[in-house]
Amino acid sequence: MGDQQAAAQPPGTKPAHEGLRRNSLNLPRLAFIGLAYFALAPVIYLNMGFMETDSGGPVMPFLFILITIAVLPTAVSFAVLNNRRPSAGSGYTWLWESTYPGVGLWLGWVMITTYVVVSALYPVAFGTFFNALLTYFHVTATTWTGIAGGVAAILIIGYLTHNNIKLSSMVIGILMILEATFVASLAIVIVVQGGYLGHFSATPFNPHAATAGFAGLSLAGIFAFLSIAGVDSVAPVAEEARTPRRLIPLATILITVIAGLYWTLVSYGFAISVPVHTVASYVSAGEITPVLPISQSYIGGWAVLVPITGFTAALASFGASLYAAGRITYAISREGFLSSYFAGLHPRFRTPWRAEAATLIVTLVFLIGISLWQGGPSSAYGYLGEIFVFFVLLLYIFVNLANLVYHARFHREEFNWLLNGITPVAGIVIDGYILYKAFFISEISLPFKTGSSIVWFSVAWAVIGIFWALWWSRRRRLASISLSAEV
């Protein structure tokens, strides 16, 4: 009987018992993972200083509205393709099958880089909040204390994600709700008290309030995009979701809209909390996050909840990011393009724990190396965040391309000019423009250590990925390989 079932499976299909555990994630758990990946609280805590000082104005709400609208075409492309072909490989699988296998394999390289780098963001974020807590209690915080905090985060998340994804996703959801509730409550307190701009000022929605002009808005836009660059977050767990063709697309659009609305509304309170020059002075003085001194002036001793919720927020986002990194590594490994070791699953929970453990080791290296090079975990967060945006923009451009080509080549009878034509073209243009303007115009002009090296390192790594894909193209007949079957 078992042999007959195996014979009935399409070529390239892995037996169900060998793969990730199916039907583990319902819509609430998918939403928890997606919103945690979006990092609701860390966006405000860690990006506010970068966004306001780069733009020279209290324009966070404007930027969040703009960037949410800009990312919607890409979110639609992810939703459409998840409906057509749910897979842990997501973009790698889609490009492989819709264009050429070598292109998909290269995108797999880009995706592993994207998800490993975003995972590396959160140990340095945890270290940043650990230092903020030390500073709050007048204890000297250093780069090494931040690194120690980051190591603690790696150990905690390593233990959490090693277990059943049902349990870990629920824990992530609880942590995410706690942080989001506190940040929203603090923003309401600021608005009720009026802030320095007074009640209901329209200044935060006016781009002309950015004194640094268009160039400043472009740099600030990198961190706004870092915030909303999570439309891909639930795609890698498609094989573990219930009815993935329905729930993954629904969750993709839902979390994108919820996150965009949340940041737009919440950031308004922080935008009117203090003048921009005060935020700049906090950043110049080495404040870990400007939200901490701002909150002290509004809620007094309750401000200690800023670093505490920062801990929970960083852990939630770290766990969600590790899911993505582990599953894309697993998806590429099971096809033989990485060591088969990474295709090993937990014998009980069917999670890609080997790939996740490898990601944790890399995050440890980044935590120590980038923190020492950039002079602390908070600066390391900014540096790694910009690298992540570079690679996630490449991912988004090519997923939009896959939406267009896949339907034009294989489902022409179902081709919809809005969903499969205009939308992906708009996504390619928007994402390509952000990549060009923010990196190849604005970032490349900055000093090597803090700016241009991000572009040079990212481009070099992407080119190495091209050679890696070409090397495999010579070793194996990629066109003859059938990727693991859809769910």
Side-chain angles (χ1 to χ4, degrees):
M1 182 66 176
D3 292 339
Q4 291 175 348
Q5 289 176 338
Q9 294 182 29
T13 302
K14 308 300 187 283
H17 71 275
E18 290 186 5
L20 299 166
R21 177 162 290 170
R22 308 296 172 90
N23 300 316
S24 297
L25 301 172
N26 55 19
L27 183 59
R29 287 189 173 93
L30 289 170
F32 287 160
I33 292 171
L35 291 174
Y37 186 98
F38 272 117
L40 298 181
V43 162
I44 301 297
Y45 288 164
L46 299 176
N47 292 1
M48 178 181 179
F50 294 111
M51 291 174 70
E52 293 217 345
T53 54
D54 285 344
S55 63
V59 291
M60 285 192 297
F62 167 77
L63 286 170
F64 283 128
I65 292 173
L66 186 67
I67 214 68
T68 302
I69 294 172
V71 84
L72 279 176
T74 299
V76 170
S77 285
F78 269 94
V80 167
L81 290 169
N82 274 308
N83 175 263
R84 289 287 187 194
R85 179 66 158 96
S87 168
S90 59
Y92 145 73
T93 302
W94 303 331
L95 265 293
W96 178 294
E97 295 177 347
S98 64
T99 58
Y100 299 98
V103 177
L105 190 56
W106 171 77
L107 193 66
W109 174 278
V110 169
M111 291 178 68
I112 290 176
T113 304
T114 300
Y115 294 136
V116 169
V117 171
V118 75
S119 297
L121 274 175
Y122 296 107
V124 295
F126 193 96
T128 298
F129 292 120
F130 182 67
N131 278 355
L133 187 63
L134 293 178
T135 302
Y136 182 86
F137 288 110
H138 307 291
V139 177
T140 301
T142 67
T143 297
W144 284 108
T145 59
I147 290 173
V151 170
I154 291 172
L155 294 175
I156 293 169
I157 289 301
Y159 172 77
L160 183 63
T161 56
H162 185 260
N163 290 295
N164 189 338
I165 193 172
K166 283 186 176 181
L167 173 63
S168 57
S169 62
M170 185 59 66
V171 173
I172 284 173
I174 293 171
L175 295 176
M176 183 271 299
I177 291 171
L178 290 174
E179 51 156 288
T181 301
F182 171 72
V183 174
S185 300
L186 179 55
I188 291 172
V189 169
I190 294 171
V191 171
V192 169
Q193 294 188 25
Y196 88 100
L197 287 177
H199 291 284
F200 307 114
S201 168
T203 301
F205 300 99
N206 182 2
H208 296 293
T211 59
F214 189 74
L217 281 173
S218 297
L219 285 173
I222 295 177
F223 291 95
F225 198 89
L226 169 61
S227 309
I228 203 67
V231 300
D232 53 307
S233 57
V234 295
V237 297
E239 294 178 22
E240 295 155 279
R242 297 177 186 173
T243 59
R245 292 178 181 274
R246 180 176 67 89
L247 289 189
I248 296 294
L250 176 60
T252 298
I253 300 301
L254 190 64
I255 61 177
T256 302
V257 173
I258 290 174
L261 287 173
Y262 178 86
W263 287 320
T264 299
L265 296 174
V266 169
S267 67
Y268 179 85
F270 292 94
I272 68 170
S273 60
V274 295
V276 172
H277 66 80
T278 302
V279 175
S281 69
Y282 291 149
V283 173
S284 299
E287 284 285 352
I288 306 301
T289 167
V291 174
L292 183 55
I294 289 171
S295 62
Q296 285 178 297
S297 64
Y298 283 93
I299 59 175
W302 289 103
V304 71
L305 291 175
V306 170
I308 291 174
T309 53
F311 291 155
T312 62
L315 291 175
S317 301
F318 191 8
S321 302
L322 192 61
Y323 289 155
R327 280 149 186 80
I328 184 59
T329 303
Y330 161 78
I332 295 174
S333 298
R334 68 184 173 184
E335 310 300 344
F337 298 110
L338 292 173
S339 170
S340 60
Y341 176 83
F342 299 121
L345 298 177
H346 191 288
R348 178 183 175 190
F349 300 123
R350 314 305 301 164
T351 55
W353 66 275
R354 291 178 179 176
E356 291 175 345
T359 301
L360 290 173
I361 292 171
V362 176
T363 65
L364 176 63
V365 173
F366 280 174
L367 168 67
I368 297 172
I370 304 298
S371 293
L372 292 176
W373 185 38
Q374 293 296 312
S378 59
S379 298
Y381 174 86
Y383 192 87
L384 288 169
E386 292 179 36
I387 293 177
F388 162 70
V389 171
F390 182 95
F391 283 101
V392 84
L393 280 168
L394 289 181
L395 168 61
Y396 287 1
I397 289 169
F398 279 88
V399 166
N400 280 301
L401 177 65
N403 182 14
L404 178 66
V405 176
Y406 181 82
H407 290 88
R409 290 184 66 185
F410 303 114
H411 289 273
R412 188 168 297 180
E413 72 283 356
E414 300 177 40
F415 187 93
N416 182 293
W417 280 105
L418 176 60
L419 294 180
N420 315 124
I422 296 173
T423 294
V425 169
I428 292 170
V429 171
I430 292 169
D431 296 336
Y433 178 78
I434 295 172
L435 181 67
Y436 168 74
K437 191 66 181 179
F439 287 91
F440 294 101
I441 297 297
S442 299
E443 201 72 42
I444 199 73
S445 63
L446 297 177
F448 179 81
K449 181 178 179 179
T450 57
S452 63
S453 61
I454 293 169
V455 181
W456 293 120
F457 291 160
S458 299
V459 169
W461 190 249
V463 171
I464 291 172
I466 293 174
F467 285 109
W468 175 76
L470 289 172
W471 182 75
W472 274 114
S473 298
R474 290 176 177 271
R475 293 194 62 188
R476 299 175 65 181
R477 292 183 62 248
L478 301 184
S480 67
I481 298 173
S482 177
L483 299 184
S484 294
E486 59 195 274
V487 294

